[in-house]
Each structure stands twice: as structure tokens, then as C-alpha cells.
Amino acid sequence: MAPQTLAGLSLRDLEYAVAVAELRHFGRAAERCGVSQPALSEQIRKLEGLLGVTLFERQARRITVTAQGAVLLAQARAVMREARGLLDLAQQQAAPLCGPLRLGVIATLGPYYLPRVLRDVRARFPALVLRLQEGRTAGLVAALEQGELDAALIALPPPAGSLAAELLFFEPFLLACPSGHPLLARRRLTLQALQGAEEADRLLLLEEGHCLRDQALSLCALPRGDREERFASSLEMLRHMIAAGEGFSLLPALAGQAGGGELDGLVATRALDEEGIGRQIGLVWRGTDPRGDSFRQLAAFLKETAPLP
């Protein structure tokens, strides 16, 4: 029978159980938690006895979470998030924007934006220690929701209603194509011109999972999953494909302005002759995070130092 009091239930035991659930291995979970495997296994057995529920099905070479365990472990993760929030709130009260901040940034933004702002951020918030993580929007949002990240720089609007957001700047898209491409000679370059051009079937895209891919498909009015087999895993690979003469694409302005190095003379960029073609970049965090005021303070500073007007 499950206990009616909190006596004997520790956050450390919940941490052990969550680690086993994530790694599906007692040895690796023990290594992550900094304890011996026998000690971790014994504490989890005690936790199961305290809860009156078997959390894991133990087989010779496989660890699986039981149906009842999955429900309880989801709540355990929530308890761990709230506990971390308590520590974060205490730290915030002592000194806002100090200590570690786990910041995610989408891969199509980080290499081109972070070099422009890191020096200013470190000068303005000298006690802040950034822990940067690059990824795609879905992965960063999942990490935020699970408490593995504190905040993230993504394209707005955020895909999860539970996230708070502050707009930092608007980043227009540029046409990027091989030098001498017929699109560069057009008197007026608009989305309609791209959509109606014979070269429209040569639109190059990032691979599935990048939000920039979906934005490009939507803007150019092309169906998803019914066209090219050629795609790039990164913006730099996309730039190389353009330089090779495979086609054209839309690049975020910061990436388009980054310079091609050895590709200079092979890739040309041009702004579109219409307003509002691009993406809004913002800072997002969990709406329940007690550090909301600090994140808004950071967002205000990033907005002041935005690399684009």
C-alpha cells in the first residue's frame, strides 16, 4: 500500500529512478548519478517498496518501464523540475542572471547570431555562465519542457502553448543562388516571381525536422513530400549545393551575410523586393519557470543589441 506521508521519499531516489528510465540501464544510471550500481539498485528497490509499485521490469539484458511506473515516473520528472525551480528561485533572489543558464539555439541561427552577441552578454552579465546547446526546434522545445534546458532561441511562435516568449528581432530571408542565375536578372524579385519561375523545381531545402524547411516550402507554395530528393543537413551544406549549381534557396539574412570564404564568387544573395518575408526570432522559456523576470531582462538586452534593425 502506498504511503500516506512523505517520510522516506527523497528527491535523490527519484533522480535515480528517472536516470534508469532514461538510460534503460542500471550501470549507466549509477555512473550518471555518481554512485555505485549496487547502491542505486538498492535505493530503487526501497523506492518501489515505499510506493507499492514496480517501476521497472528487469530482464537479463533489458530494462523496461512498467505501465504503472510510466505514470509515476512522469510525475517524478515534474517533481524534479519543481525542485530545480526552487533552487533557481533562491539563486535568482540572491542575484538575478547569475550562475549557469542552459540555453538552446536552433542550428540555423546559432553559428551566425551567437558570435555577434556573446561578448556583449558576458560584459553585461559577468556572473552568468552560459551552457549552450544547438538543435532543432522540436528537440529544444522537448528539452525545455523536460527541464533539461532553461531557455531557447527559436523562430516564433513557439510550438508549445506552455512556453513564454519575447520577440528579439525580425530576420528577413534572402535569395541565395549560383552567380549568374536567371533569377538575379529579374527587375523585381518577389515570392510570386519565385513561384512562377521555371526554376521553381530547383528549390533546395534542408532535411526534414528543420523549421526553416517548412517555412521555405510554405513561402514558395510547394507541396510537402511531393518533390525533390536532394536536401541538406545544414545551412553550410545548402550553401555548398548552391555553389555547385544545383539550384537556389532562401537563407536567413544572418547566414546569408556570413560570407562564403572559398565560395565567394560562386554564390550570390539578393533581398526580396517585398516586406515581411522572413522569421521572428525570440527567446522562450517555460511559462511556469520562476525566473521569468530574469529571462525578460535578458530578452530586453538581446533586443537592444539585435544584429538586424
Side-chain angles (χ1 to χ4, degrees), residues 173-189:
F173 291 156
L174 305 177
L175 170 71
C177 56
S179 297
H181 195 283
L183 285 172
L184 294 171
R186 288 182 175 269
R187 183 180 64 84
R188 182 170 163 75
L189 185 61

Side-chain angles (χ1 to χ4, degrees), residues 22 30 37 66 74 86 93 103 133 178-179 190 215 219 247 249 260 266 290 293 304:
E22 291 178 352
Q37 180 175 338
T66 65
L86 176 64
Q93 297 301 315
L103 179 67
Q133 177 177 322
S179 297
T190 64
Q215 292 163 349
L219 288 171
S249 190
L266 295 177
D293 288 343
E304 291 174 5

Side-chain angles (χ1 to χ4, degrees), residues 219-238:
L219 288 171
C220 294
L222 293 175
R224 291 166 170 76
D226 190 29
R227 56 177 314 278
E228 96 302 330
E229 295 182 356
R230 297 286 293 149
F231 54 82
S233 59
S234 68
L235 283 183
E236 292 312 302
M237 188 61 199
L238 188 64

Side-chain angles (χ1 to χ4, degrees), residues 169-253:
F169 60 91
F170 177 79
E171 184 179 23
F173 291 156
L174 305 177
L175 170 71
C177 56
S179 297
H181 195 283
L183 285 172
L184 294 171
R186 288 182 175 269
R187 183 180 64 84
R188 182 170 163 75
L189 185 61
T190 64
L191 284 180
Q192 186 175 4
L194 295 183
Q195 294 161 2
E198 293 182 2
E199 300 87 355
D201 63 335
R202 302 295 302 280
L203 176 68
L204 301 174
L205 299 170
L206 292 174
E207 63 186 6
E208 291 282 357
H210 287 280
C211 59
L212 186 60
R213 170 193 173 94
D214 292 336
Q215 292 163 349
L217 283 171
S218 176
L219 288 171
C220 294
L222 293 175
R224 291 166 170 76
D226 190 29
R227 56 177 314 278
E228 96 302 330
E229 295 182 356
R230 297 286 293 149
F231 54 82
S233 59
S234 68
L235 283 183
E236 292 312 302
M237 188 61 199
L238 188 64
R239 198 195 307 271
H240 281 77
M241 292 168 66
I242 294 169
E246 295 193 43
F248 70 91
S249 190
L250 294 175
L251 293 183

